[in-house]
Amino acid sequence: MAAENNQTEEKTKGPDFIRQIINEDLAQGKNDGKVHTRFPPEPNGYLHIGHGKSICLNFGIAEDYKGVCNLRFDDTNPTKEDQEYVDSIIEDVRWLGFDPEIFYASDYFDQFYAWALELIDAGKAYVDSQSADEIRQSRGTPTKPGVDSPYRTRSVEENRDLFTRMTAGEFEEGSCILRAKIDMAHQNMNMRDPAIYRIRKESHHRTGDKWSIYPMYDFAHGFEDAIEGITHSICTLEFENHRPLYDWFLNNVSAPCHPRQIEFARLNLSYTVMSKRKLLELVTEGLVAGWDDPRMPTLSGFRRRGYTPASIRRFAREIGVSKVNSLVDISFLQFIIREELNENADRAMAVLDPLKVTITNYPEGQIEELEAENNPGNPEAGCRMVPFGREIYIERDDFMEEPPRKFFRLAPGKEVRLKHAYFITCDEVIKDNNGNVTELLCSYDPATKGGDSPDGRKVKGTLHWVSAEKAVEAEVRLYDNLFSLENMDDMEEGKDYKDYLNPESLVIRKAMVEPSLVDAPAGKSFQFLRQGYFCADTGDHSSAHPVFNRTVALKDSWAKMQKKNK
RNA sequence: UUGGACGUCGGCAAGCGGUAAGCCACCGGGUUUUGAUCCCGGCAUUCGCAGGUUCGAAUCCUGCCGUCCAAGCCA
C-alpha cells in the first residue's frame, strides 16, 4: 500500500537532455531506430571518475535503448600512449560492470589514409611546408582573420607526391603537415585549415613502425565513429567548437554514415584535480603511491579505497548530465558509499588509538567469548564471537579526565557500556611522569553481561573496545582529501596545484583490532564500530600483516558539535 | 560589436506557457547497546538583471551582466 502510494506520488525525473535528443531522433525515424554509442579514451593514463561518468552515460544509454556501446581506444598519437594504459582501462571498464567489444582507432589507419587521399584529389587538402611557428603566426587570433599559406595553392599532383613521400618517411618531423583547405578567415579557429596528418617517427604501441605519419583527432574521430556505425557521439563541452569540423570531414569524404556529436559538461569534484597531466605528475613524482593510491580520483584509486562499482554507477546517475560547468561536492560521493556500506558491511571493533583499561574485579587470566551481531540492520548477516578479558583497550578519545558538558563517554566515576559486553565504571586514572594518562582502572558489573542491566539503569555512552590479550595489531591508513582547496580552479595567482597538497591526506595508525579481522580477505569492507568503513587493502594486507584503508568515516555529530562550540 | 556555450536553493538537478520535483548539505524533534543507522518535520512567493508579449512567463521576445571554451603539428 505504502509502496503504491510512493509510486504514484513520486515524480519521476525526466530524461536528461541527451536522451531527449535521442528520443527526438528516434521519433524522426533516424538511424533505423538504432542507438549506438562509444567510450573513446586515449590510452595515455588511467581512467578517473570523470571517465566513470562518461562510461556510465554511454553504456547506460546503450542499455536503455537496447543498443550497443563500444570501448574504443583513440590511439592516434604514439608519443603519449602505452599498452599499460590500455590494459588498465579495460580492467576499469569491466570493474564498473560493463563488458564491451573493444576497438582501436589504429586499426583504421589505412581507411583514414584513403580518405586523406580523397580530400587531396578533391582539392580540399594540401601539404603545407611552413614551420609550426609560421603556421601559428598565420592562423590569426579569435578577433583577427588568418592568412593563407603560400603552399595553399599547390596542385593536386604535387600534394599527392608530397603526401606520399611524407608517408614513406622522407621528411623530418615538423617539416610539413597535411592540412584541410577550408577558410583561413573563419570565425571558428578550428576551421582555419586544420592539420590532418603530422609526421611522427615514433613506434606506435600497436602498429609499430609501419607509419611515420599519424592522423589528428579532429580528422580521425568522426571517421572512427562512422566506421563503427556510431549514431550518437557523446563528448565533453570543450569539443563544442570542434563540431563544425567533425561535420565537415564527414561531409567531404565518402563516409558510411554521419554520427551526431553531442557535448556535455565534464565532472569536477571538490578537493581534487581531474586532469590526466596532473594525475600523471603526481604518480611520476612520487607524490602518491601510484595510479591506484586510495587518495587518487582514479577508478583504480577508488577501488582500492573501498568504493564499489555500484556506488560509482549510482553517483554518476544521481549527479545527472547537463551542459553547466559544475563542481560536485566530494561529500556527495561519500554519502553514497556510506549508505551502501551501512547496508552491506559487517561490523567489527578496532581501536585506532589504544588506551589500556584494566577491569580490577574481573578474574585474572579469564577470557570469555561474547556474541556480537554483524549488522544490526540485517539479522541475516549473523553473529560472531568476540573475546573479552581483564585487560582491554578503548579509544583514547573516549576518555576525558575533565569532561565537558554532554560528554557521554568515560570519565572518572562515570559508567559506560562496552558494546556487546558489560557496564564499566572508571575508578582510577594512572599517569606517567609527564602527566599523560597511561591506563585506567575500572570495575565491571557482572550482571550487565551482553550490555543490558537487569535493574533497568541506563547509561549514556557505549564504547567499542578490544581484548588486550587477544587483539591483533594492524596498520590502519586514514585517508583524507588529496588537496586542501575546495575548488582547484580557484588557485591563487602564481601558485601551483601541488602547493595545495593536503599534508594529512594519509595518516598511518598502529591499531588494535579484534582477532576475527586477520582472516579478512583483501578487498573486503567492514564498518569499524563508531569509526567508519574500512577495507582490507588489496595490495599489502595479509593475516601476518593486516592493513586496512579507511574508505570513509562515519558521520560524527559529536565532533561537529565540538567544532561549532569552539 | 570575434565566435560558440551556459546561468533555477549552500552543492547537484527537474522543469519545455498554467502558477518552483527530487537528492545531498543544513536546522529542529523521536527511536537506538554505534553521538552511526532509522523515523518525523522544516528548508527558493521565486528562477543572473532590466524591460516587453500574454488572462497567465523560470519557460516566448529584446537589451544588459556574469562564467566557461577557442590562437597544439594534444585528445
Side-chain angles (χ1 to χ4, degrees):
Chain A
M1 192 59 156
E4 275 180 37
N5 278 343
N6 257 339
Q7 266 192 355
T8 48
E9 282 169 24
E10 204 173 287
K11 288 200 182 177
T12 47
K13 190 160 158 176
D16 59 64
F17 82 97
I18 294 175
R19 278 171 243 248
Q20 286 179 32
I21 290 170
I22 293 174
N23 290 343
E24 284 157 20
D25 286 348
L26 255 20
Q28 289 172 30
K30 290 185 184 167
N31 309 313
D32 299 325
K34 294 224 164 34
V35 174
H36 201 328
T37 56
R38 105 264 95 114
F39 171 63
E42 182 187 19
N44 64 346
Y46 280 57
L47 261 23
H48 54 62
I49 191 165
H51 295 110
K53 174 182 180 181
S54 178
I55 292 167
C56 293
L57 215 211
N58 280 291
F59 285 94
I61 284 171
E63 278 175 11
D64 289 356
Y65 292 91
K66 310 251 182 297
V68 176
C69 179
N70 296 353
L71 169 57
R72 179 173 72 229
F73 290 98
D74 205 356
D75 53 352
T76 57
N77 182 358
T79 61
K80 301 191 297 177
E81 297 158 7
D82 197 278
Q83 186 62 37
E84 175 195 353
Y85 299 130
V86 347
D87 294 341
S88 74
I89 288 168
I90 292 171
E91 183 186 0
D92 288 347
V93 170
R94 290 190 176 147
W95 175 73
L96 260 189
F98 306 102
D99 192 20
E101 192 174 340
I102 297 165
F103 300 83
Y104 296 86
S106 52
D107 284 342
Y108 313 143
F109 281 175
D110 287 323
Q111 178 61 258
F112 295 162
Y113 187 77
W115 278 327
L117 257 20
E118 238 182 270
L119 287 176
I120 291 172
D121 290 346
K124 292 171 179 171
Y126 62 100
V127 173
D128 194 338
S129 303
Q130 293 183 105
S131 69
D133 218 48
E134 289 168 323
I135 288 178
R136 192 181 324 118
Q137 302 282 340
S138 60
R139 185 155 19 234
T141 71
T143 49
K144 254 191 304 183
V147 299
D148 288 0
S149 163
Y151 304 99
R152 200 173 197 262
T153 49
R154 288 216 255 229
S155 68
V156 169
E157 292 67 35
E158 188 180 6
N159 284 138
R160 263 207 103 116
D161 173 57
L162 258 16
F163 187 51
T164 306
R165 288 161 61 191
M166 269 172 74
T167 311
E170 283 186 37
F171 306 126
E172 291 309 302
E173 278 188 25
S175 61
C176 55
I177 57 168
L178 185 68
R179 287 230 256 175
K181 192 188 286 187
I182 306 180
D183 177 5
M184 287 306 290
H186 201 107
Q187 290 155 324
N188 184 331
M189 306 246 339
N190 292 129
M191 301 295 270
R192 320 242 262 228
D193 290 11
I196 293 178
Y197 268 100
R198 77 291 216 180
I199 299 168
R200 281 281 175 283
K201 298 196 169 168
E202 197 149 343
S203 199
H204 184 280
H205 63 103
R206 295 191 77 246
T207 60
D209 298 319
K210 177 178 176 188
W211 296 89
S212 52
I213 58 169
Y214 290 90
M216 299 289 291
Y217 167 86
D218 286 309
F219 173 76
H221 203 86
F223 294 158
E224 297 165 21
D225 289 338
I227 289 168
E228 293 175 18
I230 302 303
T231 57
H232 301 271
S233 179
I234 300 166
C235 61
T236 44
L237 246 31
E238 66 269 28
F239 291 104
E240 221 157 14
N241 294 332
H242 294 243
R243 192 176 349 122
L245 228 203
Y246 180 99
D247 291 330
W248 189 90
F249 282 120
L250 254 13
N251 285 335
N252 284 281
V253 124
S254 54
C257 65
H258 193 136
R260 201 222 273 224
Q261 177 177 306
I262 305 170
E263 311 85 12
F264 72 98
R266 66 180 334 133
L267 171 68
N268 295 297
L269 257 193
S270 61
Y271 298 106
T272 194
V273 294
M274 209 74 93
S275 98
K276 275 195 199 172
R277 192 207 104 220
K278 290 173 183 164
L279 297 177
L280 175 63
E281 230 169 63
L282 292 172
V283 172
T284 54
E285 293 179 17
L287 271 6
V288 295
W291 286 99
D292 69 342
D293 186 299
R295 293 167 292 182
M296 290 283 272
T298 51
L299 291 176
S300 51
F302 280 114
R303 176 165 65 233
R304 192 160 175 187
R305 178 80 170 253
Y307 279 76
T308 60
S311 68
I312 304 290
R313 276 187 253 118
R314 184 179 159 201
F315 175 70
R317 190 172 59 247
E318 298 208 6
I319 56 174
V321 194
S322 74
K323 300 189 72 161
V324 187
N325 277 307
S326 60
L327 179 70
V328 177
D329 198 324
I330 185 106
S331 65
F332 188 55
L333 223 199
Q334 293 169 344
F335 154 77
I336 285 172
I337 189 62
R338 249 190 225 116
E339 198 164 81
E340 180 179 328
L341 261 16
N342 176 52
E343 215 171 299
N344 302 324
D346 282 352
R347 314 287 112 137
M349 293 198 285
V351 175
L352 272 35
D353 186 9
L355 173 62
K356 189 176 172 187
V357 171
T358 299
I359 299 161
T360 51
N361 59 339
Y362 192 86
E364 231 160 308
Q366 178 176 310
I367 292 287
E368 63 182 314
E369 297 284 334
L370 300 170
E371 192 179 81
E373 63 192 348
N374 286 327
N375 189 332
N378 177 18
E380 284 179 27
C383 291
R384 68 190 186 285
M385 301 310 283
V386 186
F388 181 82
R390 179 180 160 93
E391 294 183 342
I392 61 168
Y393 293 118
I394 64 167
E395 211 68 63
R396 190 163 282 277
D397 285 351
D398 283 337
F399 172 78
M400 280 186 103
E401 200 169 11
E402 291 167 30
R405 241 169 55 79
K406 292 200 169 177
F407 185 79
F408 301 152
R409 287 110 100 141
L410 244 202
K414 283 190 68 174
E415 184 173 47
V416 297
R417 170 169 39 234
L418 295 177
K419 181 81 176 174
H420 308 304
Y422 297 96
F423 285 12
I424 59 168
T425 303
C426 178
D427 304 315
E428 202 175 320
V429 181
I430 298 176
K431 300 179 186 176
D432 63 14
N433 294 334
N434 300 320
N436 299 315
V437 177
T438 56
E439 186 181 346
L440 265 22
L441 301 184
C442 298
S443 49
Y444 86 119
D445 177 356
T448 56
K449 181 167 178 175
D452 273 316
S453 61
D455 61 7
R457 92 178 172 275
K458 296 273 187 256
V459 97
K460 272 296 191 110
T462 301
L463 311 186
H464 59 100
W465 52 273
V466 293
S467 149
E469 185 184 333
K470 298 290 187 184
V472 175
E473 188 178 293
E475 177 177 331
V476 166
R477 299 170 180 171
L478 304 176
Y479 293 106
D480 196 359
N481 297 329
L482 226 204
F483 294 93
S484 55
L485 185 63
E486 179 170 13
N487 185 349
M488 290 298 284
D489 286 337
D490 289 345
M491 291 189 292
E492 278 176 60
E493 271 297 307
K495 280 209 174 181
D496 183 72
Y497 72 98
K498 283 177 267 184
D499 296 333
Y500 293 93
L501 276 165
N502 175 10
E504 289 174 21
S505 60
L506 170 58
V507 173
I508 295 176
R509 289 280 181 77
K510 287 280 169 243
M512 298 303 287
V513 305
E514 65 172 73
S516 70
L517 252 14
V518 288
D519 301 323
K524 180 162 169 137
S525 286
F526 298 89
Q527 185 199 95
F528 287 179
L529 238 49
R530 303 207 304 135
Q531 289 287 170
Y533 297 98
F534 293 74
C535 70
D537 185 61
T538 47
D540 305 324
H541 173 84
S542 68
S543 323
H545 180 65
V547 179
F548 293 94
N549 301 328
R550 182 171 70 191
T551 307
V552 65
L554 248 31
K555 277 215 266 180
D556 188 346
S557 55
W558 168 245
K560 203 162 88 183
M561 202 166 98
Q562 295 293 96
K563 213 182 270 179
K564 245 197 319 197
N565 291 341
K566 267 180 192 169

